[in-house]
């Protein structure tokens, strides 16, 4: 069998194999390792702007030995710095064991600079024991107000600071949890719903400030910190149940419209109410509007305020209830809002201001219609706006009453006692009063026309 030729790459590969056999390659990580510690050393990755490569959190630095592996340990130089920054670093005494550079009796809460040939690394070591998180008691502070809930804490958990290579102070977050129940507005249910909430704090301050404030009865449970959590060694405490101080409200207004298709065409079969020409609430009187307030648990006093003053300096009516149905019967512009308050009146919450425009009255009467069942002009209807009183009589040419109605939304379908009257001229008399106080007395002709081919009026009656 012929011996296969080797290409250049296979030749170089053989050389590499020979070199590796003579001098085994060891890969060194540019980081510290630790011995003598009772709990795992935790690692944090700081922001790049700090200049630090890593932060190590050691539970107790006592009896801990730091190791740094290098391919050339004799050239490694290690120094440390405090809050003054790397420019004031001082050399650290080290030993060499095998390929490890050893630091015995290291000092915690210090920065360390490693110079390894052409490479330089920056670390900060936190000695956690002096900062150990320990909670004894939790209670709600009487300082709690309308904007925030304050929690008093008995225990330890001060801020853990470290310093960048430029000597700038930064804080290592402890992610202390405060667990509680509150209320939030739900668009799905259109009401306030209870939800479980968690707030995180970098460190313990007294008191802890929770915003937005808590809106329902709840207890507060403190759990921490994230370092003890990783060591499976939590410290926690829970307060008693407290009542809320802060409050929140949401409101809505719904107008009772019999027919949304407002029109000024009195001969249509749809709504015959003349549009007010303005958007929003109100329009033609009488306008029936329902106002509803949705509140958090702490609201105990309810008040709807009605006024013609947009600044609410002068309030015309006060309604001490959470919901109200109100009928606007007079022309003008009105303003309605809700104000809720807590038990002692220390906090109040104001809902949206609703503007209600009630237009001036108006009344128009048509003079003809075609009750032929084709769906067009089948009823005689007036066009109107803001009428509070209305009476209408319809007579034939002999002066006999054929129809009467007292609701301007209604109309006459051209029948008497259920039977269609003959085509011809009829007469109406109307008395009405508008929301603006205007009185109407109208009378006139009504012409009944029919255009049904192939049919007769033999069934019609006087």
């Amino acid at each position: 069998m012929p011996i296969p030729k080797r290409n250049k790459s296979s030749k170089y590969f053989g050389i590499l194999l020979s070199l590796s056999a003579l001098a085994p390659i060891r890969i060194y990580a540019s980081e510290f390792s630790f011995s003598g510690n009772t709990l795992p050393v935790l690692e944090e990755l700081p922001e790049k702007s700090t200049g630090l490569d890593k932060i190590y959190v050691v539970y107790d630095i006592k009896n801990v030995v730091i190791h740094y592996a290098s391919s050339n340990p004799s050239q490694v130089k290690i120094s440390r710095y405090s809050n003054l920054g790397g420019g004031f670093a001082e050399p650290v005494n080290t030993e060499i064991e095998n390929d490890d550079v050893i630091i015995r009796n290291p000092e915690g809460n210090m920065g360390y600079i490693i110079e390894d040939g052409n490479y330089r690394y920056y670390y900060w070591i936190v000695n956690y024991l002096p900062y150990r998180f320990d909670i004894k008691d939790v209670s709600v502070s009487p300082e709690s107000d309308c904007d925030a809930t304050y929690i008093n804490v008995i225990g330890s958990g001060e801020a853990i600071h470290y310093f960048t290579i430029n000597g700038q102070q930064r804080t290592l977050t402890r992610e202390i949890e405060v667990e509680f129940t509150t209320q939030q507005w739900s668009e799905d249910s259109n009401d306030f719903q209870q939800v479980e909430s968690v707030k995180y704090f970098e460190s313990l301050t007294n008191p802890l400030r929770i915003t937005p404030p808590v809106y329902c009865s709840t207890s507060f449970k403190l759990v921490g910190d994230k370092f003890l959590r990783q060591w499976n060694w939590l410290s926690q405490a829970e307060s008693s149940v407290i009542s809320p101080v802060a409050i929140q409200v949401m409101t809505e207004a719904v107008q009772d419209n019999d027919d949304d298709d407002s029109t000024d065409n009195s001969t249509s079969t749809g709504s015959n109410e003349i549009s007010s020409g303005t958007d929003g609430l109100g329009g033609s009187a009488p306008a029936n509007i329902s106002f509803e307030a949705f509140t958090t648990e702490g609201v105990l006093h309810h008040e709807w305020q009605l006024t013609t003053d947009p600044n609410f300096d002068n309030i015309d009516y006060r309604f001490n209830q959470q919901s109200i149905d109100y009928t606007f019967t007079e022309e003008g512009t009105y303003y309605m809002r809700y104000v809720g308050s807590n038990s002692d009146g220390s906090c109040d919450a104001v809902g949206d201001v609703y503007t209600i425009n009630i237009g001036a009255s108006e009344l128009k009467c048509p003079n003809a219609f075609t009750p032929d069942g084709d769906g067009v002009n089948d009823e005689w209807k007036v066009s109107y706006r803001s009428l509070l009183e209305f009476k209408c009589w319809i007579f034939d040419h002999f002066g006999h009453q054929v129809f009467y109605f007292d609701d301007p939304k209604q109309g006459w379908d051209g029948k008497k006692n259920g039977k269609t009257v003959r085509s011809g001229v009829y007469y109406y008399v109307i008395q009405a009063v508008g929301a603006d106080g205007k009185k109407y007395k109208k009378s006139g002709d009504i012409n009944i026309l029919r255009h049904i081919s192939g049919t007769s009026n033999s069934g019609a009656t006087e």
Side-chain angles (χ1 to χ4, degrees):
M1 176 181 296
I3 299 175
K5 295 182 178 180
R6 294 188 297 176
N7 56 30
K8 291 183 179 181
S9 61
S10 62
K11 177 181 178 181
Y12 295 148
F13 181 68
I15 293 173
L16 289 174
L17 287 176
S18 300
L19 290 175
S20 63
L22 294 174
I25 298 175
R26 180 178 179 184
I27 304 299
Y28 297 97
S30 57
E31 59 182 20
F32 280 160
S33 60
F34 301 82
S35 62
N37 46 296
T38 57
L39 293 172
V41 175
L42 307 178
E43 299 180 1
E44 296 282 321
L45 292 178
E47 296 179 357
K48 290 183 178 180
S49 60
T50 64
L52 295 170
D53 295 288
K54 193 172 292 187
I55 298 174
Y56 296 97
V57 181
V58 183
Y59 180 76
D60 185 2
I61 201 71
K62 185 179 180 181
N63 299 323
V64 168
V65 177
I66 298 177
H67 303 256
Y68 175 79
S70 173
S71 59
N72 190 357
S74 61
Q75 71 173 2
V76 174
K77 297 179 180 179
I78 300 179
S79 56
R80 69 185 180 194
Y81 70 92
S82 61
N83 61 328
L84 298 179
F88 295 87
E90 299 176 346
V92 174
N93 293 327
T94 59
E95 303 175 8
I96 297 177
E97 291 184 359
N98 298 324
D99 289 336
D100 284 355
V101 179
I102 305 296
I103 304 175
R104 300 189 186 277
N105 301 316
E107 188 174 350
N109 304 313
M110 284 283 182
Y112 288 81
I113 303 174
I114 296 92
E115 297 179 70
D116 188 354
N118 295 325
Y119 298 97
R120 181 173 290 188
Y121 308 103
Y122 300 88
Y123 306 127
W124 186 274
I125 296 180
V126 173
N127 184 22
Y128 179 81
L129 188 58
Y131 302 100
R132 191 182 189 284
F133 184 79
D134 186 24
I135 297 299
K136 303 297 183 184
D137 187 59
V138 179
S139 62
V140 177
S141 171
E143 297 179 22
S144 297
D145 55 30
C146 309
D147 300 318
T149 301
Y150 294 90
I151 306 300
N152 285 331
V153 182
I154 298 177
S156 58
E158 64 183 283
I160 300 176
H161 297 306
Y162 66 94
F163 292 86
T164 70
I165 61 174
N166 294 323
Q168 297 177 344
Q169 179 178 287
R170 301 289 179 89
T171 301
L172 188 62
T173 180
R174 306 182 73 140
E175 291 185 8
I176 300 168
E177 294 182 0
V178 180
E179 303 171 1
F180 55 92
T181 303
T182 189
Q183 286 181 301
Q184 289 182 356
W185 178 255
S186 170
E187 295 290 347
D188 294 333
S189 63
N190 199 43
D191 204 352
F192 287 98
Q193 299 291 323
Q194 286 196 355
V195 294
E196 301 299 321
S197 185
V198 178
K199 292 286 186 180
Y200 293 93
F201 294 87
E202 282 189 346
S203 60
L204 282 186
T205 56
N206 214 359
L208 293 175
R209 186 174 188 268
I210 296 177
T211 55
V214 174
Y215 293 116
C216 67
S217 298
T218 184
S219 61
F220 295 87
K221 182 179 181 181
L222 261 70
V223 182
D225 56 9
K226 76 172 181 179
F227 305 112
L228 289 182
R229 190 177 294 111
Q230 293 179 76
W231 287 320
N232 295 317
W233 191 3
L234 288 176
S235 177
Q236 60 186 35
E238 188 168 359
S239 73
S240 59
V241 176
I242 60 95
S243 298
V245 174
I247 59 175
Q248 192 175 27
V249 303
M250 296 287 284
T251 58
E252 71 174 10
V254 178
Q255 184 161 353
D256 180 15
N257 292 319
D258 293 336
D259 195 324
D260 292 333
D261 298 325
S262 297
T263 176
D264 60 1
N265 183 359
S266 62
T267 58
S268 74
T269 57
S271 171
N272 55 324
E273 185 174 1
I274 299 174
S275 172
S276 64
T278 59
D279 296 329
L281 299 172
S284 176
N288 302 309
I289 305 176
S290 297
F291 299 91
E292 181 77 20
F294 306 91
T295 68
T296 54
E297 178 187 322
V299 177
L300 295 184
H301 305 292
H302 310 276
E303 182 176 276
W304 280 98
Q305 300 173 345
L306 176 62
T307 180
T308 55
D309 177 6
N311 298 318
F312 286 83
D313 293 330
N314 299 300
I315 298 173
D316 299 317
Y317 299 99
R318 300 175 187 268
F319 308 93
N320 298 121
Q321 53 201 75
Q322 190 166 346
S323 60
I324 181 174
D325 296 325
Y326 192 84
T327 301
F328 294 85
T329 59
E330 296 183 10
E331 179 194 8
T333 300
Y334 302 88
Y335 305 93
M336 180 80 90
R337 72 177 183 184
Y338 171 85
V339 179
S341 59
N342 60 3
S343 59
D344 61 3
S346 59
C347 296
D348 57 35
V350 181
D352 292 334
V353 174
Y354 297 99
T355 302
I356 304 97
N357 292 297
I358 304 298
S361 66
E362 189 174 356
L363 177 60
K364 298 178 181 179
C365 302
N367 61 5
F369 74 116
T370 57
D372 49 19
D374 65 354
V376 179
N377 298 336
D378 283 337
E379 287 187 295
W380 183 84
K381 288 184 174 182
V382 300
S383 296
Y384 74 96
R385 178 172 62 219
S386 295
L387 295 183
L388 301 182
E389 298 179 18
F390 178 86
K391 295 178 181 179
C392 179
W393 296 266
I394 298 176
F395 304 93
D396 63 17
H397 61 280
F398 295 110
H400 300 143
Q401 180 177 317
V402 297
F403 194 72
Y404 168 79
F405 61 103
D406 57 11
D407 186 347
K409 293 185 179 68
Q410 298 175 355
W412 180 39
D413 60 1
K415 295 181 180 180
K416 177 184 179 181
N417 298 325
K419 295 183 179 180
T420 303
V421 301
R422 293 182 179 276
S423 301
V425 179
Y426 294 79
Y427 306 94
Y428 68 85
V429 175
I430 294 176
Q431 294 179 359
V433 178
D436 50 5
K438 184 177 180 180
K439 295 181 179 181
Y440 295 86
K441 291 184 179 181
K442 285 180 173 285
S443 61
D445 297 342
I446 303 175
N447 293 281
I448 293 183
L449 308 174
R450 287 187 175 87
H451 303 287
I452 304 177
S453 60
T455 63
S456 68
N457 293 330
S458 58
T461 146
E462 288 288 346

